[in-house]
Amino acid sequence: MKHLCGNLTFWDSNLTKHTDLPDLPACFQLSVLPWTPCIYLWLTSPFYVLYLKRNNRGYIMMSVLNRIKTVLGLILWIVCWTDLFSSFHEMSQNQSKPPIYFVTPLIVGMTMLLATFLIQYERLKGVQSSGVLFIFWTISVLCAVVPFRSKIVYQERSNINGVEDKLRFTTFYIYFGLTLIQLILSCFNEKPPLFSSVVTDPNACPEMTAGFLSKMTFWWFTSMAIKGYKSPLENKDLWTLNKHDTSELVVPNLLNEWEVEKSRAQSEPSVKEQAAFRKAGPGAEPNHVNASPEEEEVLLSKRKEARQPSFLRALLKAFGPYFLIGSAFKLLQDLITFVNPQLLRMLIDFTKQSNSPLWWGYSLAFLMFGTSLLQTLILHQHFQYCFVTGMRLRTGIIGAIYRKSLAITNEAKRSSTVGEVVNLMSVDAQRFMDLTTFLNMLWSAPLQIILALFFLWQNLGASVLAGVAVMVLLIPFNAFIAMKTRTYQVEQMKHKDDRIKLMNEILNGIKVLKLYAWEVSFKEKILQIRQKELNVLRKTAYLSALSTMAWTSAPFMVALTTFAVYVTADDKHVLDAEKAFVSLSLFNILRFPLNMLPQVISSIVQASVSLKRIQDFLSHDELDPESVDRRNNASEYAVSVVNGKFSWAKQDQATLDNINVMVPQGSLLAVVGHVGCGKTSLVSALLGEMEKQEGQISIRGSVAYVPQQAWIQNATLRDNILFGRPYVEQKYRCVLEACALTPDLEVLPGGDQTEIGEKGINLSGGQRQRVSLARALYSEADVYLLDDPLSAVDAHVAKHIFDKVIGPEGALKGKTRILVTHGISFLPQVDNILVMVEGRVSEMGSYQELLKQNGAFAEFLRNYSLEDIIEDDEVTVSLLDDEEEEFPEDALSNHTDMVDNEPVVNEARRQFMRQMSIMSNDLENPKKMSRRRRCSERKHPESPLEKKEPKVEKLIQAETAETGRVKFKVYWEYAKAVGPFLSLFICFLYGCQSAASIGANFWLSEWTNDAQHNRTLERTPMRVGVYAALGISQGVLVMFSSFTLALGKIQAARKLHQTLLDNKFHTPQSFFDTTPIGRIINRFSKDIYVIDEVLPSTILMFLGTFFASLSTMIVIICSTPIFALVTGPLALIYFFVQVR
């Protein structure tokens, strides 16, 4: 620095520390202070520009704020270079100046130009508030504060009238004022970018537009906190979710990475295959005949090995970069953590030296406060990134599992039960979210341990190796616990899957269960599985208790062994206050990583089990979307199957064989056959839901499907029909009339706005089927696959639907229709009939052609003719009752569905019906066309839709959650489940553990006082012995409290689950009719998981934190009684904030 500063002093300790009026030397002020912000900005700028280039948020119009910042930046550049040109001018006047007067203005001036460039570049890239520039201006102001004071002090000390260097004096204060203004201006935000979602969204989250300072302090959240303080928050109070956090972006991002990983895994084996054949080639040619079959078999088995796609790699690629930002904050926080012990050392040293200046003590106290504040800000930024990553992780995993559950093959559905899928989405996905919060501890804990041991080595020397030995000995113990925990975790999840699967089956058949009074037997089945689950949970809890005991005692054991070795290794080693309490502060830093490391390892073990389960599920085979050719090729056939052979699973025997079907465009094909002959399987094959072993399927255009069992959503009747399509009134009315739903609207309490319960619980079987048919009709598809939709309705309704919808004059005239049916009365009106026999196409042709063949179709007619004649005659009776109407209203609105009631008809009635059928055939022809008028040509009467819709209470009530603070009753209920005496005993054990900890700290304080009275040698064995006894008793108490808590947790889990189960089995049927099954399943999966695993660990953390805080306050009050005056008001303020 002498070459740069010349005769100016760079450092002088007498000028800086050992004085009552400290100051920094001139060279230091001219070099290090102005260079520090410049170095920061030049180092960060390349990375920042690259980041802005890749993350363009839009364009911000030039504002007044931006103009002022730019102008001030240019003025700062001019001010800096004014000093530079002034130095050149002085040099021309033969006034020699050190090089520092040229270098510093040049560097600072160039940096101001860079800052001005960044101001404009950020505007072009849509940055509303710059963190990089805010830090730069903050550092600049802080570094300029020292020269600001120095120049004033120098003027006061010197007896010179006026200022020596007026130009530099003036430019510096202009520079200081401008940088201070820039710092203030950087606290304000620019306008949002053009066309930003923030502008269009009326309830946008303020985080997106918050400034850097607001984000660092979470000030943007203040309005929500105040609102929540005044009244309980509801869903409507929340802001709109940030776009990057929505499932719309998160799920596709993860799925894309997973597809890339799967394709990579599939491509790798092909390389191995080529290598295997090249290896076998040269050796196999000469002795091809005598080649060993065993070797060939081994070679083939190796060739078939394929690498499983790694879901973990997909997760890392999708969410890793964002998570790494949080990791960077964690690294910074870890490094700052070790500043305070060094400041504590200096503070203790300050108290020992009576001649130290007072300002030095105040500075150290202020620095300790500042580092703690900075550490808190950085740590919470780290947690913010971790929580958001966890939320995105859970969203992505649930979305991926849900999407997969809709696409897996029928073979995969056999191995992956409903219970497993529910657990994957609720429990396993939650585990990943919980893990991300402390995942960084996996590398952070070893780093903190290494740094702590390094500083301990400096403090206590080689004695610290004894503490390292204790930690090393704990590693294999912890590894054993982790392996056993993983084994138990797999077993526990299997029992959980079985329990949820059985619970799902029970809830789906709860009506039958209650009618047969089977509650007790099924409850026993559930409780047997639950007992197995609790047995595994108990073993896991005991292992966790041992691990907690080991790692809670670890910091103390490390301290004990280190201090004991230190004082006994050499008589000259004296444990004074500086060594003891600086070491103790480092041991306290060690406490958190040593406590968290086993929990993180345990969470990683649990997450690895969940990862394996999710990966296996996502690796299941999917239905081939290419199995059905949907290209609109120029063909006269809308549906064609050539030499089709289909099965429900690849390994299964073919369900359908030698299927050849050609359905012309716009024709109506009826599929008939005996029960179980493969009619529904044929429809499933056309939908692509079966495994295609041979042949080709081709379908032209869009497809609408009406299943045998109608699928109804928990929504209004209109929403069930529209199914997301826009509402067109004329079209909608035509659909209602064609599907015979208009009279039903008169009966339903809210018309078409009536809420339909889960699985259509408040509709009859026929109504459900007609809603399903109406949905298909409204979709206006090209091809309609109708799987026996007429079987669930009365005969006269079936005839109406056939005439108005399916038949040759119905609403679907001109569309391609494939109708599976047992009703032979409609067969003469269809274009073609396909007869299925034992999974094969027996016959295909028109009605008359098949009758002439006298084959399987004729046999089918003989079997079903009697029933169908009766049904057809019932229609005729209804027609004769009222010739003006096609059927009476009450017949539709109050009809009894065939699936619900099958009447017994005696022989006399059969004879009467046969006679009536002859009459109906004679009467049908003149009225046939009038009955088949298209609904669009009719004049509509006043629709019930036009009437004022009555206000209908919701059938399915929205799920509610308790708001405000948790009531005492909730705590008391859990305490009762654990056991009141056991709960008190657990608290007592934790209190004793804290008492032992306080005693150890007091004893250590007394031990350090021995150094002042030269009594260290004779008291060393006694001091070490008592300190060890207190520490060991603390460890034993931890073990007992952990075991007791484990017992209480199992007891509470058993009682609460059994209470929930008893309650649900005694709940009336009406509850299950109006409550979604998913909501009940969630209570038995997610909420029971919280009671089993999350709640006990939370209680453990609460008790540990509570008694640690209490013991700390007791120690401080005992040593500094005046602190009690501050504690009271703070406790009251905290209490009132919590209560509100």
Side-chain angles (χ1 to χ4, degrees), residues 57-76:
R57 301 176 192 173
Y59 174 84
I60 297 176
M61 295 287 289
M62 179 78 81
S63 63
V64 175
L65 179 65
N66 192 268
R67 286 192 180 97
I68 294 171
K69 285 181 183 178
T70 307
V71 170
L72 290 179
L74 292 172
I75 294 172
L76 278 167

Side-chain angles (χ1 to χ4, degrees), residues 696-707:
Q696 293 179 340
I697 311 176
S698 176
I699 295 181
R700 289 182 59 191
S702 58
V703 178
Y705 171 52
V706 179

Side-chain angles (χ1 to χ4, degrees), residues 210-248:
F212 173 75
L213 201 59
S214 178
K215 284 183 179 178
M216 288 299 293
T217 57
F218 296 97
W219 185 257
W220 58 269
F221 188 74
T222 306
S223 61
M224 183 66 71
I226 292 169
K227 188 182 286 186
Y229 178 77
K230 290 178 179 177
S231 61
L233 291 174
E234 297 177 14
N235 196 37
K236 63 182 181 181
D237 297 324
L238 301 179
W239 298 305
T240 306
L241 201 62
N242 291 334
K243 192 175 181 183
H244 294 294
D245 298 330
T246 57
S247 56
E248 184 184 356

Side-chain angles (χ1 to χ4, degrees), residues 1006-1051:
E1006 289 297 318
W1007 190 355
T1008 56
N1009 288 336
D1010 289 347
Q1012 297 175 1
H1013 304 93
N1014 296 320
R1015 294 179 300 190
T1016 53
L1017 291 176
E1018 62 270 17
R1019 293 196 175 187
T1020 296
M1022 185 263 290
R1023 293 295 189 193
V1024 172
V1026 174
Y1027 192 63
L1030 287 167
I1032 292 166
S1033 62
Q1034 185 183 352
V1036 172
L1037 286 166
V1038 168
M1039 184 180 69
F1040 275 116
S1041 57
S1042 299
F1043 271 108
T1044 314
L1045 187 62
L1047 285 171
K1049 136 181 162 178
I1050 300 298
Q1051 193 168 321

